[in-house]
Amino acid sequence: LDGAHALLFFKGFQCLQAHRVAHVLWKRNRKHLALAIQARCSEVFGMDIHPACVIGKGVMFDHGTGVVIGETATIGNECSILHGVTLGGTGKRGGKLRHPQVGNEVLIGAGASILGNVSIGNQARIGCGSVVMVNVPDDSTAVGIPAKIAKKYPSELSGL
């Protein structure tokens, strides 16, 4: 597949590019326009990504439908996020960070919800349908409701 194919047909890619424009507008205090882009993306693509959230390079939204990402969330580089994922707040805590902080090279399975100011470590994996409300260390897999650490991989094996 070439770049034109992704640009024309992959809504996860299209929504991410629209978010990047909205994010620049948000940082330049053009918040109404940024929110208008967010609202239109939500209608067209079925993905709701707040313009203030920070998303790294090489992030892939596979299918994208139902993805919700809150205002103070951050997503590191080279992450894969499947459909129906929520990076949301719990509504219990205010403060500067109310949403998850996701590290680099993280895989988040379909339908997973990561809630609150939690940290997801580098090269972690979150199982489909899991509800994560605790920190997940680097090189770990978290699954279940509520999510528990099912496996921790040694750092030297993480690139395999």
Side-chain angles (χ1 to χ4, degrees):
L1 300 174
D2 60 8
H5 190 85
L7 183 63
L8 292 172
F9 303 115
F10 292 173
K11 69 179 175 179
F13 177 79
Q14 293 168 340
C15 190
L16 179 58
Q17 299 318 307
H19 163 75
R20 294 196 189 288
V21 171
H23 184 70
V24 168
L25 292 168
W26 185 270
K27 290 193 320 185
R28 293 182 180 172
N29 208 29
R30 307 278 315 268
K31 295 185 178 180
H32 286 102
L33 185 54
L35 291 169
I37 292 171
Q38 173 200 7
R40 186 67 180 141
C41 285
S42 183
E43 289 176 43
V44 172
F45 302 118
M47 299 172 66
D48 192 356
I49 304 173
H50 195 283
C53 80
V54 177
I55 299 177
K57 298 175 184 176
V59 172
M60 181 193 68
F61 292 104
D62 191 22
H63 300 290
T65 301
V67 169
V68 177
I69 302 174
E71 179 178 10
T72 63
T74 62
I75 300 171
N77 299 325
E78 305 295 328
C79 293
S80 296
I81 299 174
L82 305 184
H83 61 280
V85 167
T86 299
L87 302 179
T90 61
K92 292 183 178 181
R93 295 186 187 131
K96 191 171 184 175
L97 296 176
R98 302 180 316 277
H99 299 94
Q101 312 303 300
V102 178
N104 297 318
E105 300 177 25
V106 173
L107 170 65
I108 304 176
S113 295
I114 305 173
L115 305 173
N117 181 15
V118 297
S119 175
I120 307 301
N122 295 325
Q123 299 177 331
R125 290 159 292 289
I126 308 299
C128 296
S130 297
V131 177
V132 179
M133 298 179 71
V134 296
N135 293 336
V136 176
D138 291 352
D139 305 307
S140 297
T141 298
V143 295
I145 305 173
K148 294 185 177 17
I149 305 304
K151 184 119 178 150
K152 175 139 176 53
Y153 299 92
S155 295
E156 62 271 7
L157 295 178
S158 61
L160 300 178

